[in-house]
C-alpha cells in the first residue's frame, strides 16, 4: 500500500508540474501576443502619419512654392503661353 501511495504521489507531483509549466507557457505566449498587437497598433499609427506626410509633400502648392524658391521657376504669363489645338479624328 505504501508503494502505491508513493507512486500516486509521484504521479500527482508530475501532473502538478505539468500544469504549472503549461500555464507558464500560456502566459508567456499571451504576453508575446499583447506585445505583437501593441507593435501592430503602433505601426498602423506610424503608417497613417507617413501617408499624411507624403500627401503634404506632394501638394501642388508646396511643389509650386519649392520650385519658385529653390529653382527660381515661375509660371509663364499669357504672352508666353501658346495653346495647340488637337485635331479630331475623321472616323467620328
Amino acid at each position: 500500500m505504501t508503494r502505491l501511495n508513493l507512486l500516486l504521489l509521484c504521479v500527482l507531483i508530475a501532473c502538478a508540474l505539468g500544469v504549472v509549466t503549461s500555464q507558464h507557457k500560456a502566459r508567456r505566449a499571451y504576453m508575446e501576443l499583447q506585445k505583437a498587437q501593441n507593435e501592430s497598433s503602433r505601426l498602423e499609427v506610424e503608417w497613417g502619419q507617413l501617408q499624411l506626410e507624403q500627401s503634404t509633400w506632394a501638394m501642388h502648392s508646396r511643389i509650386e512654392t519649392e520650385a519658385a524658391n529653390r529653382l527660381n521657376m515661375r509660371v509663364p504669363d499669357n504672352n508666353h503661353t501658346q495653346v495647340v489645338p488637337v485635331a479630331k479624328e475623321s472616323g467620328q
Side-chain angles (χ1 to χ4, degrees), residues 54-83:
Q54 181 184 19
S55 67
T56 301
W57 282 102
M59 289 176 59
H60 294 290
S61 61
R62 174 153 177 76
I63 293 171
E64 190 172 331
T65 303
E66 290 297 319
N69 292 340
R70 289 187 182 186
L71 303 174
N72 295 326
M73 297 177 80
R74 60 180 175 81
V75 178
D77 56 3
N78 290 335
N79 296 333
H80 293 96
T81 304
Q82 183 177 5
V83 178

Side-chain angles (χ1 to χ4, degrees), residues 6-49:
L6 188 58
L7 179 64
L8 290 175
L9 179 64
C10 289
V11 170
L12 178 67
I13 290 173
C15 288
L17 288 175
V19 168
V20 169
T21 302
S22 66
Q23 284 181 345
H24 178 68
K25 287 180 181 179
R27 287 182 182 139
R28 190 175 349 164
Y30 182 73
M31 287 181 359
E32 289 177 11
L33 174 65
Q34 291 294 323
K35 286 180 184 178
Q37 287 176 341
N38 289 340
E39 180 71 10
S40 173
S41 176
R42 186 189 66 78
L43 289 173
E44 283 183 28
V45 169
E46 184 178 352
W47 173 251
Q49 290 173 343

